[in-house]
Amino acid sequence: MAAVLVLAAATGCDSGDRNTSQAASVPTGLGQFYGQKPSWKGCRNGFECATVQVPLDYTKPSGEKVGISLIRLPAEDKSERIGSLLTNPGGPGGSGVDFVRQAARTFGNDLRRRFDIVGFDPRGVASSAPVRCNTGPQLDEFFATDASPDDSDETNQLGGASKAFAQRCKAKADSELPYVGTVNAARDMDVLRAALGDQKLTYYGASYGTYLGAFYAEQFPKNVRALVLDGAVDPKLSSTDLLIEQAKGFETALRAFADDCVKSGGCAFGNTPDAVIGQVSSFLASTDKKPLSNTRDSRKVTESLAVMGIARALYVKEYWPVLRQALTQATQKGDGTLLLALADEMVERKANGTYSNQTDANMAVNCVDKPNPPDLAAYGKAAAQAKKVAPRFGPFVVWGGLPCVYWPAQTEQAPQPITAKGAAPIVVIGTIRDPATPYKWAQSLAGQLSSGVLLTFDGDGHTAYLQGNSCITKATDDYLISADPPRNGTTCR
C-alpha cells in the first residue's frame, strides 16, 4: 500500500468532527518522528504491517532509534471511516501485533466498519527491539523455583534465582533497560497517533494497557478523543501494594470458581465452596513437598507451577471446566500435565521449550516503572503480609517481583494518582470478580481521572470487552464511535 495516509475523516458524524477539530502540536525537536508516513504492506489475511521509528531516549531525539512494529485491519467502509483505533492487550509484555491479528475481527461490527483496528508491539516487546535475557532452560528453572519459601534456605535460593535473572538482563540489555518503561511507551503512542494520521487518539487498552492509556492521557490530555481502559490498574499503588491487591483478586476469583463448581454439580473437590478451597490448599501444600510428574517432558510440576496453572485458568471463566479437569487429574492421579500446560500458556512457553520475550519484557517494564523494595528482607515482609490476606496466591505473586530488587535500571519517581486534567471523557471498565485487576482498581482510576467514567461488568474473568456481553459491547462501541460516554456508574450483567 502507498505510504500516503488517509486522515481521519468524518462523514456527517460528530465523532469525526471531534477527531479532526484541531491539529495536535508537535513536541519540540520531534518533527522527524511525528511527520512519518508508514509504508504499509500486506501481511496476510487482509492485514497490513509497517514500522514507525521513535527515539530510544526522548531527551536525545537525534540519538539511537527504536522501530515500533504496527499492524492494522483497515476499516471496512472507507466512506464512513473515522480513523484508527489503537489497541494494547496488556502485560506488560503482550504483543499488540499478535493481539490484533488474533482478535481484530471479534471487535464490534460498527467499529470495524468505521475504524482501522491497529495494534503495536511496545518498545522492548516482541518485534519492537525486544528485551531478551533468558534462554528457555533458564526460564524453566526460574519458574520452577519455590516462590513460597518456608525457611531461610529456600528464601536465599529464590533470591539467588531472582538476582541471576536481573544479572542476565544487565549483561544482554543494559543500555536499553532504562527506556522501556511506560512513560516512554506512552510517548511512543503519540508518535503513532500522528503517524496514523489522527489528530486525536482513539484507544482501547486492556489490563496493563489501561496503565499505558492513563499515562498517555496524563502526558497528552488535549490529544484524547476516546479512551477505553478495560480491567484497570491503579497507578497510585506502590509496587508491593499492587502485587498484594492482585493476589487478593485471584483469591476472589478462586472463590467464584469454587461457587461455580459446587453449583454445577458433581464437583469432585467438595460440597461447599469452603471445602473446595480447602482441597485446593491441601493439594498445593502437597506439591510443595512432592512435585507432580507430567507426560509432556521431564519437568516436574512444582507448587509454583501449579499455582501458575490455576491462576491462568482463573483469567477466563470459559477455562473453569478445564481447571476442574486439571485439578481432578492432579489430585486423583498425580498427573500435572494439564496444569503444566496452563502454566506454560500463562508465560508463553512453546512446546519446543522456547519462550516469547513476554517474561523478560514484563520484568523490564515493571522494574523500571516504580520504586522497588530495597532488599530480600523487605520483600519477605510484603510476602508475609500478602499471605495473611491471600493465603494461596499472596506469596507467589509478591515474590514474583523479586528480580526488581537487583534490577540495573531503577526509578525514584513515586507512584501518584493520574488525573489527566483537560482530557475528553475516558471510560474505565471494571469487572467485579476480575482476578488480575481487582474491581476496586477501576473504581479508583475512574475517580482519579478528572473526566473518568466508570462502566461496571457484574461478572467473572479478566477484562470485560470482547468477552461476549452485549451490554458492555454496545456501551463501548457507541462511545468509541461517538466519543459520548455512557452514564457514569452504568452496570452491565
Side-chain angles (χ1 to χ4, degrees):
M1 180 179 178
V4 177
L5 292 177
V6 179
L7 292 177
T11 309
C13 172
D14 288 344
S15 58
D17 293 341
R18 293 186 187 193
N19 204 32
T20 60
S21 58
Q22 184 178 0
S25 61
V26 176
T28 303
L30 298 178
Q32 62 174 314
F33 299 103
Y34 275 74
Q36 294 175 86
K37 298 184 183 300
S39 179
W40 294 99
K41 297 180 180 179
C43 52
R44 305 194 314 275
N45 299 324
F47 290 96
E48 298 170 347
C49 295
T51 300
V52 167
Q53 299 294 317
V54 297
L56 175 67
D57 180 354
Y58 274 91
T59 68
K60 300 176 181 177
S62 61
E64 186 177 347
K65 298 176 177 59
V66 175
I68 303 297
S69 293
L70 288 168
I71 189 172
R72 71 179 180 185
L73 184 65
E76 294 179 349
D77 190 336
K78 303 299 183 186
S79 67
E80 293 191 31
R81 180 182 179 276
I82 296 172
S84 299
L85 173 61
L86 193 66
T87 65
N88 180 276
S95 169
V97 170
D98 289 349
F99 169 70
V100 163
R101 190 174 287 283
Q102 295 164 6
R105 289 185 170 91
T106 67
F107 280 75
N109 290 333
D110 289 340
L111 277 183
R112 288 189 288 123
R113 191 174 75 252
R114 309 197 66 179
F115 285 94
D116 300 339
I117 309 299
V118 181
F120 69 104
D121 288 343
R123 56 172 61 205
V125 175
S127 54
S128 296
V131 173
R132 288 195 178 275
C133 314
N134 297 278
T135 65
Q138 286 169 338
L139 284 176
D140 283 347
E141 182 177 356
F142 177 75
F143 286 124
T145 303
D146 191 340
S148 180
D150 300 314
D151 53 41
S152 59
D153 287 343
E154 290 185 349
T155 300
N156 289 332
Q157 183 180 6
L158 180 59
S162 298
K163 187 175 184 179
F165 188 121
Q167 289 175 333
R168 288 191 289 268
C169 283
K170 178 177 175 58
K172 295 184 179 181
D174 192 35
S175 62
E176 182 181 354
L177 295 180
Y179 306 105
V180 297
T182 300
V183 171
N184 283 322
R187 296 197 68 172
D188 295 344
M189 283 172 54
D190 203 52
V191 173
L192 297 181
R193 172 199 58 75
L196 290 168
D198 291 331
Q199 303 296 345
K200 297 195 175 188
L201 181 70
T202 306
Y203 174 77
Y204 169 78
S207 194
Y208 162 78
T210 68
Y211 191 63
L212 181 57
F215 264 81
Y216 178 87
E218 184 79 339
Q219 295 183 79
F220 305 99
K222 298 299 184 182
N223 295 354
V224 170
R225 176 185 172 274
L227 269 59
V228 173
L229 309 181
D230 183 9
V233 175
D234 187 345
K236 74 177 189 297
L237 294 179
S238 71
S239 59
T240 50
D241 285 344
L242 198 77
L243 295 172
I244 291 170
E245 289 297 323
Q246 185 177 67
K248 290 165 64 175
F250 280 108
E251 296 284 346
T252 297
L254 181 63
R255 169 68 60 173
F257 165 77
D259 288 342
D260 180 76
C261 188
V262 171
K263 291 176 182 177
S264 297
C267 185
F269 316 111
N271 297 322
T272 67
D274 284 342
V276 173
I277 292 174
Q279 285 286 339
V280 172
S281 298
S282 297
F283 160 67
L284 292 174
S286 70
T287 60
D288 188 28
K289 297 177 180 178
K290 185 180 179 181
L292 303 176
S293 61
N294 79 92
T295 59
R296 298 177 67 190
D297 52 43
S298 62
R299 289 178 296 160
K300 296 292 185 181
V301 183
T302 63
E303 183 182 13
S304 295
L305 290 170
V307 170
M308 191 186 300
I310 293 170
R312 174 65 187 97
L314 292 177
Y315 268 82
V316 185
K317 189 173 183 179
E318 285 71 24
Y319 273 37
W320 290 4
V322 180
L323 180 56
R324 289 178 65 171
Q325 182 183 356
L327 288 172
T328 299
Q329 290 179 358
T331 57
Q332 296 183 5
K333 299 179 181 179
D335 183 355
T337 303
L338 190 49
L339 271 180
L340 185 62
L342 289 167
D344 286 350
E345 183 176 319
M346 181 87 153
V347 293
E348 297 188 1
R349 184 189 192 273
K350 304 178 181 67
N352 65 2
T354 63
Y355 289 74
S356 75
N357 92 308
Q358 179 198 63
T359 296
D360 292 339
N362 181 278
M363 203 70 72
V365 175
N366 283 333
C367 291
V368 79
D369 265 1
K370 297 186 177 190
N372 301 295
D375 52 35
L376 192 63
Y379 252 96
K381 291 179 181 178
Q385 180 185 350
K387 188 171 184 177
K388 292 179 181 178
V389 296
R392 283 147 291 272
F393 295 96
F396 298 93
V397 174
V398 170
W399 282 117
L402 184 58
C404 292
V405 166
Y406 313 102
W407 209 251
Q410 300 280 347
T411 182
E412 295 181 358
Q413 180 62 53
Q416 54 190 353
I418 287 180
T419 62
K421 186 176 180 180
I426 297 171
V427 171
V428 180
I429 306 179
T431 298
I432 288 181
R433 292 174 296 280
D434 189 312
T437 51
Y439 177 64
K440 64 189 295 186
W441 290 359
Q443 293 175 303
S444 179
L445 180 57
Q448 292 170 44
L449 292 166
S450 61
S451 59
V453 175
L454 180 63
L455 174 61
T456 298
F457 175 46
D458 185 358
D460 301 285
H462 184 39
T463 72
Y465 188 62
L466 303 181
Q467 304 300 328
N469 181 273
S470 59
C471 173
I472 291 290
T473 299
K474 178 173 173 48
T476 302
D477 289 358
D478 287 352
Y479 162 66
L480 288 172
I481 291 169
S482 70
D484 291 323
R487 179 177 56 84
N488 187 36
T490 297
T491 297
C492 292
R493 294 178 172 83

